[in-house]
Amino acid sequence: MNYPIYGACQCGQVSYELLNKPKRVFACHCTECQKLATGPYSVTAVVNTSDIVFKGEMREWSRVADSGNSNNAKFCGGCGNRIYHYNPDDMSLIKLKLKPVNLEDDKVFAPTEHVWTDKKLSWCELP
């Protein structure tokens, strides 16, 4: 795959340029990700902040995760698409949880693992 690759929210107000391959891609089955995805799981790619460039204005929302960490989310104020998550209490990691939104090449976000599978919906089959 050739980098950079480009993605955007549903309305196109927020876009991003991914400069390098994600460090990790997983499907999360926790109940919060089920709500986020309005489906059985949410796909998340973890990338270094230095490997991504955003354009456009985003709004922010936060909650406390089951771990006790702060989980902040950036999203498009126009269409509401979630763009990424981050933990402001642990900036030493400097990683973003990028939501795969309207990518030119979707293969970069194929999950290699499933997490929180004890919360998966009964009808969801794991590979």
Side-chain angles (χ1 to χ4, degrees):
M1 180 170 312
N2 295 322
Y3 290 89
I5 59 174
Y6 302 90
C9 66
Q10 196 168 4
C11 71
Q13 178 179 303
V14 176
S15 63
Y16 56 85
E17 180 180 13
L18 184 60
L19 307 174
N20 289 301
K21 179 180 177 180
K23 301 188 85 43
R24 180 178 174 209
V25 180
F26 58 90
C28 183
H29 294 263
C30 78
T31 54
E32 289 299 319
C33 281
Q34 290 171 6
K35 290 176 192 177
L36 168 64
T38 64
Y41 55 85
S42 176
V43 176
T44 297
V46 179
V47 301
N48 289 321
T49 56
S50 60
D51 289 339
I52 193 158
V53 177
F54 294 101
K55 292 181 182 164
E57 188 176 329
M58 291 181 264
R59 298 188 62 197
E60 187 167 326
W61 176 80
S62 67
R63 69 173 180 86
V64 176
D66 289 343
S67 65
N69 292 329
S70 179
N71 184 357
N72 289 32
K74 292 282 191 171
F75 62 96
C76 174
C79 64
N81 271 157
R82 190 79 55 100
I83 307 297
Y84 69 88
H85 290 202
Y86 68 98
N87 179 355
D89 298 328
D90 191 4
M91 295 306 285
S92 65
L93 295 176
I94 309 179
K95 293 181 181 178
L96 304 172
K97 294 180 183 177
L98 183 68
K99 297 301 172 188
V101 181
N102 295 339
L103 278 179
E104 292 176 332
D105 186 343
D106 65 1
K107 292 178 197 76
V108 70
F109 285 111
T112 58
E113 60 186 299
H114 289 255
V115 298
W116 285 91
T117 55
D118 61 324
K119 301 291 185 189
K120 79 171 190 63
L121 298 177
S122 63
W123 52 265
C124 182
E125 301 270 336
L126 296 179

